[in-house]
Amino acid sequence: MNFADRLVIVPMFPLLRDEFSLTDGQLGSLQTVLHIVLALSTVPFALLADRLSRRRVIFAGVAVWSAATFLSGAAQTFTLLLVARALVGIGEASYGPAAQSMISGAFPAAARARAQAFFAAGMLLGGAVGQALGGLFGETHGWRHAFFIVGFPGLLLGFAALRLEEPPRGPRAEVVPVSHLLRVPAFLALMCSGVLITFASVSFVTWGPDFVYRYKDFNMREAGVLLGAIGLVSLVCGALAGGAIADFLQRRFVYGRVIAISAAFLLAGPFLLWALAAEEKTTVLVAFFLASFFLSWYHGPVTAVIHDMMPARAHATSVGLYMLVTQLAGAFGPQLVGEVSDVFDLQLALRLAVAVMAAGSLSFLLVIFFIRRHGLRHPALSSYHHPGQDASAHS
């Protein structure tokens, strides 16, 4: 439901454009503000998750973003819709780091990318369903009903999260100061790479349905449902395959998971350019399917890499820092792509996003350099890594 509530709005851009007389730049800002608020709120909630009950932090996040999705459907002005989308970001900020910390604590390090990949597959599956429901209900019942329908299930799941069992993570006294996390060069390089990747990926997720609607002769239902159906298969399969491949490479190289991430984006780039240039609907869908498969390799392995670097008591905080930097800087992707589209055209703007993604893929080589130089666990954090505390990391 996390990504469903985030992405249900995307196929309804044409309806919102007509309802509120919006430019592409304003439409892009609906996702930009969500990611900015998400980024700014992540670290405070991540710090709470490393110190308090992760179950309660998760429950609070799910309740807030679900209520905010309801508010999105009730918005009578563009400003109110913008505020509601920002509140969705607050809810999501409290969820991700806490959930990912619990998952890494429940599985051995050798299976960490696969475990996180299953979590990522759930998010990507939800995003696909959200887009499909937005396109389907937006066209048949209006955009407001789509928000109401997607917002409800999250409340039920939020209460279910309170029953989850908390994996052990060591004494609270061993919480790692944020300043110590920022002494790890590989982590800093990973965040820089993530900025470029987030800029590009969020731009494509935001503008993909509107692009095929305006340039490839898809109607709104086709744009939401067909792209959602593609995501349902390609993104989930890609996330699971990426996690398995990353864990396989990690058994052979200390930076194996980073190799998987970098290679995935290099492989996705040509298929994205093919989708942008293709004329036939079937070709567009095939190209997006292949691109989405490789793009989704990223989600599980990148969390596993961060948790490999960090002590257990810093798992949520380190992911929160990563989300702060990548989501805040990358959040401007949808709006900047919209601004370029207003001046030139959307096709050119999305080609520029592919170029940014290629730069991000190559920048992961710097992460590999620092891991080779300092090891996967930097000496600056050696006093926080203990065999008893991080037992799963040695399994």
Side-chain angles (χ1 to χ4, degrees), residues 78-103:
F78 172 68
T79 300
L80 290 176
L81 181 59
L82 201 64
V83 171
R85 298 306 290 170
L87 290 174
V88 173
I90 291 178
E92 292 190 13
S94 68
Y95 169 67
Q100 290 165 322
S101 173
M102 289 183 71
I103 292 169

Side-chain angles (χ1 to χ4, degrees), residues 44-384:
F45 284 116
L47 290 170
L48 286 175
D50 273 334
R51 288 158 174 79
L52 305 175
S53 168
R54 290 172 288 191
R55 294 177 300 179
R56 294 180 181 178
V57 173
I58 289 172
F59 167 74
V62 177
V64 169
W65 91 55
S66 298
T69 303
F70 269 96
L71 291 175
S72 299
Q76 298 298 318
T77 66
F78 172 68
T79 300
L80 290 176
L81 181 59
L82 201 64
V83 171
R85 298 306 290 170
L87 290 174
V88 173
I90 291 178
E92 292 190 13
S94 68
Y95 169 67
Q100 290 165 322
S101 173
M102 289 183 71
I103 292 169
S104 280
F107 290 88
R112 188 169 281 167
R114 280 168 286 167
Q116 295 292 347
F118 271 94
F119 176 75
M123 292 194 294
L124 296 170
L125 173 63
V129 172
Q131 287 194 58
L133 291 176
L136 182 63
F137 286 99
E139 186 171 68
T140 58
H141 296 88
W143 60 272
R144 297 183 187 278
H145 285 83
F147 282 121
F148 296 149
I149 291 168
V150 173
F152 177 71
L155 294 173
L156 300 178
L157 293 170
F159 284 104
L162 291 173
R163 300 177 61 86
L164 293 173
E165 184 177 342
E166 289 249 13
R169 49 181 169 164
R172 190 178 302 179
E174 293 180 349
V175 170
V176 185
V178 172
S179 60
H180 289 202
L181 304 181
L182 298 178
R183 297 176 185 174
V184 181
F187 181 51
L188 298 178
L190 188 70
M191 289 194 289
C192 292
S193 301
V195 167
L196 300 175
I197 294 302
T198 303
F199 180 99
S201 60
V202 172
S203 297
F204 266 96
V205 169
T206 300
W207 288 108
D210 198 49
F211 171 76
V212 299
Y213 174 79
R214 291 161 60 183
Y215 289 83
K216 305 301 180 183
D217 202 30
F218 286 63
N219 60 41
M220 188 186 308
R221 180 180 294 188
E222 288 175 330
V225 174
L226 291 179
L227 289 183
I230 283 176
L232 188 68
V233 179
S234 64
L235 292 174
V236 172
C237 291
L240 298 179
I245 292 169
D247 281 343
F248 173 80
L249 291 173
Q250 189 69 20
R251 292 195 292 269
R252 285 151 179 79
F253 307 97
V254 71
Y255 45 82
R257 288 170 179 148
V258 184
I259 295 176
I261 297 169
S262 180
F265 287 112
L266 286 177
L267 291 168
F271 293 114
L272 286 173
L273 294 175
W274 184 25
L276 295 176
E279 297 293 336
E280 296 293 329
K281 288 184 179 181
T282 302
T283 306
V284 172
L285 293 173
V286 169
F288 270 129
F289 179 94
L290 294 170
S292 298
F293 175 81
F294 290 113
L295 288 172
S296 60
W297 285 22
Y298 163 76
H299 299 278
V302 74
T303 305
V305 170
I306 295 171
H307 287 175
D308 287 343
M309 294 178 182
M310 302 299 173
R313 270 289 180 180
H315 279 178
T317 302
S318 56
V319 170
L321 281 172
Y322 182 82
M323 291 178 65
L324 167 65
V325 175
T326 59
Q327 297 289 333
L328 186 60
F332 293 95
Q335 187 165 0
L336 290 175
V337 167
E339 298 288 352
V340 173
S341 174
D342 286 333
V343 177
F344 299 100
D345 62 72
L346 186 56
Q347 194 165 26
L348 174 63
L350 290 176
R351 285 174 178 162
L352 293 176
V354 175
V356 172
M357 186 187 73
S361 175
L362 294 174
S363 67
F364 280 104
L365 296 176
L366 188 60
V367 181
I368 293 175
F369 169 78
F370 285 121
I371 291 176
R372 285 174 59 89
R373 184 174 182 179
H374 302 121
L376 191 57
R377 292 181 168 181
H378 194 274
L381 300 178
S382 59
S383 62
Y384 297 100

